Amino acid sequence: MEQEATLDATIRTRIRSLRKARGWSLDNLAERAGISPSQLSRIETGHRRISLDQLTAISAAMGKSLDELVESPDDSDVVIRPDRDEARGLTTWLLTKDDGPQGLTVAKMRITDQAGSVIPDDLGVHPGRDWFTVLSGTVVLYLGERVIRVETGQAASFSTMTPHAIRSDRGPAEILLILDHNGERNHLHT
C-alpha cells in the first residue's frame, strides 16, 4: 500500500512539474487533456484519484507516454557502473538504457591499450557507422591502411565496413561513442 501511495505521489509530481516546465497553466493543460481545470488541480494536489482515462488524456496532452508518467521512482539505476575489460584495456560506461533513441547506444569509454608502431591484426568490420569524440587524451584510429590521430575535442565518423580499431596514444584516453546496433554488439559485447 505504501509503494502505491509513493507511486501515486510521484505521478502527481511529474504531471505538475511537466506542466510548469512547459509554462502551462492548469487551464492550458486541462483544455488540452479534455478535463476541467478543477479536476486537474485536485489530481495534482492529491485530492482526487487519477483514473486511467484521465491519466491517458494527460500523458497524450503532454506528449509523453503513459509509461513515462507511471515509471517507478526506484533510483537503483541512477548510478552508471563501469564495465572493465582488462584484456582489451577498456572501461565502458553505458549511458543509454536498453535501446537508445532510434536504436543508438551512447557510451563513454576509457582506453588504456596503447597504439603500437604497426597496424594491429585485430581490426574489426561490421555493417553501419561509428561516431566518437575524444574527451581527453589522444586516440589512434586504425581505418584500413590509414592511421589517424584524433585529439581531445575532435570527433570521427566512419563506415564500419572499413576494417577498424581504436587505441590510446601515449597514455589513457576517454571517448564518447554513439553506436548503432551492430556497433554496440561488436564493440561493447566482444
Side-chain angles (χ1 to χ4, degrees), residues 150-164:
V150 187
E151 298 178 356
T152 300
Q154 294 180 330
S157 176
F158 53 94
S159 167
T160 54
M161 289 303 289
T162 303
H164 61 281

PDB file of all heavy atoms in Angstrom, residues 150-164:
ATOM      1  N   VAL A 150      43.343  11.236 -33.443  1.00  0.00           N
ATOM      2  CA  VAL A 150      42.185  12.062 -33.122  1.00  0.00           C
ATOM      3  C   VAL A 150      42.426  12.598 -31.716  1.00  0.00           C
ATOM      4  O   VAL A 150      42.529  11.826 -30.761  1.00  0.00           O
ATOM      5  CB  VAL A 150      40.868  11.255 -33.208  1.00  0.00           C
ATOM      6  CG1 VAL A 150      39.674  12.184 -33.042  1.00  0.00           C
ATOM      7  CG2 VAL A 150      40.770  10.485 -34.528  1.00  0.00           C
ATOM      8  N   GLU A 151      42.515  13.911 -31.593  1.00  0.00           N
ATOM      9  CA  GLU A 151      42.900  14.540 -30.336  1.00  0.00           C
ATOM     10  C   GLU A 151      41.688  15.053 -29.569  1.00  0.00           C
ATOM     11  O   GLU A 151      40.580  15.125 -30.103  1.00  0.00           O
ATOM     12  CB  GLU A 151      43.886  15.669 -30.627  1.00  0.00           C
ATOM     13  CG  GLU A 151      45.167  15.156 -31.268  1.00  0.00           C
ATOM     14  CD  GLU A 151      46.150  16.256 -31.604  1.00  0.00           C
ATOM     15  OE1 GLU A 151      45.825  17.447 -31.417  1.00  0.00           O
ATOM     16  OE2 GLU A 151      47.253  15.901 -32.057  1.00  0.00           O
ATOM     17  N   THR A 152      41.921  15.438 -28.316  1.00  0.00           N
ATOM     18  CA  THR A 152      40.874  15.975 -27.452  1.00  0.00           C
ATOM     19  C   THR A 152      40.093  17.064 -28.185  1.00  0.00           C
ATOM     20  O   THR A 152      40.687  17.965 -28.785  1.00  0.00           O
ATOM     21  CB  THR A 152      41.484  16.562 -26.166  1.00  0.00           C
ATOM     22  OG1 THR A 152      42.181  15.522 -25.482  1.00  0.00           O
ATOM     23  CG2 THR A 152      40.413  17.132 -25.255  1.00  0.00           C
ATOM     24  N   GLY A 153      38.781  16.964 -28.148  1.00  0.00           N
ATOM     25  CA  GLY A 153      37.907  17.939 -28.788  1.00  0.00           C
ATOM     26  C   GLY A 153      37.587  17.619 -30.239  1.00  0.00           C
ATOM     27  O   GLY A 153      36.704  18.233 -30.819  1.00  0.00           O
ATOM     28  N   GLN A 154      38.279  16.663 -30.826  1.00  0.00           N
ATOM     29  CA  GLN A 154      37.988  16.274 -32.197  1.00  0.00           C
ATOM     30  C   GLN A 154      37.051  15.072 -32.202  1.00  0.00           C
ATOM     31  O   GLN A 154      36.923  14.369 -31.202  1.00  0.00           O
ATOM     32  CB  GLN A 154      39.277  15.931 -32.945  1.00  0.00           C
ATOM     33  CG  GLN A 154      40.204  17.108 -33.136  1.00  0.00           C
ATOM     34  CD  GLN A 154      41.474  16.729 -33.878  1.00  0.00           C
ATOM     35  OE1 GLN A 154      41.963  15.599 -33.792  1.00  0.00           O
ATOM     36  NE2 GLN A 154      42.022  17.687 -34.624  1.00  0.00           N
ATOM     37  N   ALA A 155      36.418  14.855 -33.340  1.00  0.00           N
ATOM     38  CA  ALA A 155      35.490  13.738 -33.483  1.00  0.00           C
ATOM     39  C   ALA A 155      35.792  12.997 -34.776  1.00  0.00           C
ATOM     40  O   ALA A 155      36.452  13.527 -35.666  1.00  0.00           O
ATOM     41  CB  ALA A 155      34.049  14.238 -33.489  1.00  0.00           C
ATOM     42  N   ALA A 156      35.306  11.772 -34.857  1.00  0.00           N
ATOM     43  CA  ALA A 156      35.471  10.962 -36.065  1.00  0.00           C
ATOM     44  C   ALA A 156      34.176  10.214 -36.333  1.00  0.00           C
ATOM     45  O   ALA A 156      33.476   9.804 -35.402  1.00  0.00           O
ATOM     46  CB  ALA A 156      36.624   9.975 -35.892  1.00  0.00           C
ATOM     47  N   SER A 157      33.858  10.050 -37.604  1.00  0.00           N
ATOM     48  CA  SER A 157      32.704   9.276 -38.034  1.00  0.00           C
ATOM     49  C   SER A 157      33.137   8.514 -39.274  1.00  0.00           C
ATOM     50  O   SER A 157      33.761   9.089 -40.170  1.00  0.00           O
ATOM     51  CB  SER A 157      31.535  10.199 -38.354  1.00  0.00           C
ATOM     52  OG  SER A 157      30.450   9.458 -38.868  1.00  0.00           O
ATOM     53  N   PHE A 158      32.810   7.225 -39.315  1.00  0.00           N
ATOM     54  CA  PHE A 158      33.309   6.419 -40.425  1.00  0.00           C
ATOM     55  C   PHE A 158      32.434   5.194 -40.655  1.00  0.00           C
ATOM     56  O   PHE A 158      31.718   4.751 -39.759  1.00  0.00           O
ATOM     57  CB  PHE A 158      34.758   5.971 -40.163  1.00  0.00           C
ATOM     58  CG  PHE A 158      34.949   5.284 -38.845  1.00  0.00           C
ATOM     59  CD1 PHE A 158      34.890   3.903 -38.744  1.00  0.00           C
ATOM     60  CD2 PHE A 158      35.191   6.022 -37.698  1.00  0.00           C
ATOM     61  CE1 PHE A 158      35.047   3.271 -37.523  1.00  0.00           C
ATOM     62  CE2 PHE A 158      35.366   5.393 -36.463  1.00  0.00           C
ATOM     63  CZ  PHE A 158      35.297   4.013 -36.377  1.00  0.00           C
ATOM     64  N   SER A 159      32.498   4.684 -41.876  1.00  0.00           N
ATOM     65  CA  SER A 159      31.803   3.454 -42.228  1.00  0.00           C
ATOM     66  C   SER A 159      32.532   2.297 -41.552  1.00  0.00           C
ATOM     67  O   SER A 159      33.751   2.169 -41.663  1.00  0.00           O
ATOM     68  CB  SER A 159      31.803   3.246 -43.737  1.00  0.00           C
ATOM     69  OG  SER A 159      31.385   1.919 -44.033  1.00  0.00           O
ATOM     70  N   THR A 160      31.788   1.465 -40.896  1.00  0.00           N
ATOM     71  CA  THR A 160      32.395   0.348 -40.178  1.00  0.00           C
ATOM     72  C   THR A 160      32.597  -0.873 -41.072  1.00  0.00           C
ATOM     73  O   THR A 160      33.024  -1.915 -40.592  1.00  0.00           O
ATOM     74  CB  THR A 160      31.549  -0.014 -38.949  1.00  0.00           C
ATOM     75  OG1 THR A 160      30.206  -0.248 -39.383  1.00  0.00           O
ATOM     76  CG2 THR A 160      31.579   1.098 -37.924  1.00  0.00           C
ATOM     77  N   MET A 161      32.326  -0.727 -42.351  1.00  0.00           N
ATOM     78  CA  MET A 161      32.672  -1.791 -43.293  1.00  0.00           C
ATOM     79  C   MET A 161      34.159  -1.713 -43.640  1.00  0.00           C
ATOM     80  O   MET A 161      34.711  -2.623 -44.233  1.00  0.00           O
ATOM     81  CB  MET A 161      31.818  -1.694 -44.558  1.00  0.00           C
ATOM     82  CG  MET A 161      30.361  -2.087 -44.329  1.00  0.00           C
ATOM     83  SD  MET A 161      30.166  -3.751 -43.652  1.00  0.00           S
ATOM     84  CE  MET A 161      30.623  -4.741 -45.059  1.00  0.00           C
ATOM     85  N   THR A 162      34.788  -0.611 -43.234  1.00  0.00           N
ATOM     86  CA  THR A 162      36.241  -0.494 -43.354  1.00  0.00           C
ATOM     87  C   THR A 162      36.836  -1.107 -42.089  1.00  0.00           C
ATOM     88  O   THR A 162      36.409  -0.754 -40.983  1.00  0.00           O
ATOM     89  CB  THR A 162      36.660   0.991 -43.463  1.00  0.00           C
ATOM     90  OG1 THR A 162      35.993   1.575 -44.567  1.00  0.00           O
ATOM     91  CG2 THR A 162      38.168   1.110 -43.624  1.00  0.00           C
ATOM     92  N   PRO A 163      37.801  -2.006 -42.205  1.00  0.00           N
ATOM     93  CA  PRO A 163      38.410  -2.586 -41.001  1.00  0.00           C
ATOM     94  C   PRO A 163      38.930  -1.470 -40.088  1.00  0.00           C
ATOM     95  O   PRO A 163      39.568  -0.527 -40.551  1.00  0.00           O
ATOM     96  CB  PRO A 163      39.558  -3.434 -41.561  1.00  0.00           C
ATOM     97  CG  PRO A 163      39.134  -3.765 -42.963  1.00  0.00           C
ATOM     98  CD  PRO A 163      38.388  -2.549 -43.437  1.00  0.00           C
ATOM     99  N   HIS A 164      38.628  -1.583 -38.789  1.00  0.00           N
ATOM    100  CA  HIS A 164      38.960  -0.501 -37.871  1.00  0.00           C
ATOM    101  C   HIS A 164      39.253  -0.992 -36.462  1.00  0.00           C
ATOM    102  O   HIS A 164      38.808  -2.073 -36.052  1.00  0.00           O
ATOM    103  CB  HIS A 164      37.836   0.534 -37.835  1.00  0.00           C
ATOM    104  CG  HIS A 164      36.524  -0.048 -37.357  1.00  0.00           C
ATOM    105  ND1 HIS A 164      35.704  -0.794 -38.188  1.00  0.00           N
ATOM    106  CD2 HIS A 164      35.903   0.000 -36.157  1.00  0.00           C
ATOM    107  CE1 HIS A 164      34.627  -1.174 -37.509  1.00  0.00           C
ATOM    108  NE2 HIS A 164      34.732  -0.704 -36.271  1.00  0.00           N
TER     109      HIS A 164
END
